[in-house]
Amino acid sequence: MPKNNNSGNTSKSLIIVIIIVIIGAALIGYMLWSQKDAGPVAPPIPKKILAPIKPQTVIDYNELNKDQKLKELMQERKAKYGLKKGIDIITKSDESVKVGESTVPMQEILDEIRLKLGDIIEKDLKSGRTGSGRGTKEFGIYVVQPGDNIWNIHFKFLKDYFDHKGVVLSPRSDEPSQAGQSSGVGKLLKFSENTVQIYNIKEHKLDIDLHLIIPLNKIVVYNMERIFALLDLVDYAKVNRIQFDGETLWIPAE
């Protein structure tokens, strides 16, 4: 009898082993089938690569007469417009300007101007840049000096432009005639007051009073594209026929 019990136990153990093997084989087969059905295994996701941010170029007015490379760069930029003395520096919209201890990005100044004019400012949330979609632009900067006034600043700019054109402006060419009528140059200067902006670089804000000039604290900002689009239309031989009503400038046709 004991011999028969051992034989029965062996049979049961064998059956259990067979069942375990079958279940294991089924699991392995299912896993292999699942991997095949899932397709090729995707490669591991590479780690993020952080591109270095290029520091913004700073045009330092304080170094203008000390840094030869900066001086040559400004001369090169001015030469494109035929200017020498009418402005101190020409900066691009993606650069910054430094006067004294104050540094301000040109884009900050341009945003202030656009807000003043009622434009809507759209910025890229990642870069923080204004999305104009027109690339960089150039702006002339004149740093206000002791004894300056807005009229003389504009006259100096205009004289510099006409000198390049081979036209010599008399120091009195902006004065009215004996009959009290404004000269053509005077009308151009008056119109210029509406096309430039005065920025207080120390307080980081536009200045409302154009005639309240504070030396080395304020800069005059010229939109080079806009100014020269106008000046290039002027025929000095007909300059006295220019009309200005306080808002609009009419240039005589050929």
Side-chain angles (χ1 to χ4, degrees), residues 18-240:
I18 292 172
I19 292 173
I20 292 173
V21 171
I22 292 173
I23 293 174
L27 288 173
I28 293 173
Y30 176 76
M31 291 174 62
L32 292 174
W33 176 82
S34 298
Q35 291 180 358
K36 182 179 179 181
D37 188 60
V41 179
I45 300 175
K47 295 181 179 180
K48 290 184 178 180
I49 300 176
L50 299 177
I53 299 175
K54 184 180 179 181
Q56 193 172 55
T57 301
V58 177
I59 305 299
D60 191 344
Y61 170 78
N62 311 306
E63 298 295 321
L64 196 54
N65 294 321
K66 304 174 186 177
D67 188 332
Q68 187 61 29
K69 288 186 178 180
L70 177 61
K71 188 175 182 179
E72 291 175 356
L73 175 62
M74 291 302 102
Q75 289 174 344
E76 180 183 336
R77 290 184 180 182
K78 290 180 185 181
K80 183 168 65 173
Y81 298 97
L83 298 177
K84 292 181 180 179
K85 304 175 183 178
I87 52 178
D88 294 307
I89 58 179
I90 292 180
T91 181
K92 296 185 178 182
S93 53
D94 59 354
E95 296 175 338
S96 293
V97 177
K98 182 177 182 180
V99 178
E101 298 299 321
S102 302
T103 302
V104 59
M106 273 305 300
Q107 193 59 61
E108 180 179 318
I109 298 176
L110 300 181
D111 287 348
E112 289 275 350
I113 294 173
R114 293 181 66 187
L115 284 173
K116 177 185 175 183
L117 298 176
D119 290 347
I120 297 175
I121 297 176
E122 297 179 359
K123 285 191 175 182
D124 187 307
L125 295 179
K126 293 182 179 179
S127 66
R129 295 179 180 176
T130 301
S132 63
R134 298 181 182 179
T136 58
K137 294 184 178 181
E138 292 185 329
F139 295 85
I141 302 292
Y142 177 84
V143 180
V144 176
Q145 302 295 327
D148 276 340
N149 62 64
I150 194 66
W151 189 267
N152 289 341
I153 291 172
H154 291 328
F155 184 79
K156 188 185 299 184
F157 180 91
L158 202 60
K159 186 177 186 305
D160 199 11
Y161 171 80
F162 278 115
D163 282 347
H164 174 68
K165 294 290 186 179
V167 177
V168 179
L169 288 186
S170 163
R172 303 183 64 180
S173 59
D174 60 325
E175 296 181 2
S177 66
Q178 292 182 349
Q181 294 181 336
S182 297
S183 66
V185 172
K187 292 172 184 175
L188 278 175
L189 291 174
K190 195 65 180 176
F191 178 74
S192 296
E193 292 186 2
N194 297 339
T195 60
V196 303
Q197 301 293 335
I198 309 296
Y199 188 82
N200 190 318
I201 197 167
K202 190 173 183 179
E203 298 181 5
H204 288 245
K205 66 178 184 179
L206 289 177
D207 204 293
I208 299 175
D209 188 352
L210 299 184
H211 299 282
L212 182 59
I213 299 296
I214 303 177
L216 301 178
N217 279 4
K218 295 185 180 182
I219 58 176
V220 182
V221 183
Y222 293 87
N223 184 325
M224 302 304 284
E225 181 180 342
R226 184 181 179 191
I227 291 290
F228 280 86
L230 167 70
L231 291 179
D232 287 342
L233 295 175
V234 176
D235 180 354
Y236 187 72
K238 302 177 181 179
V239 71
N240 285 325

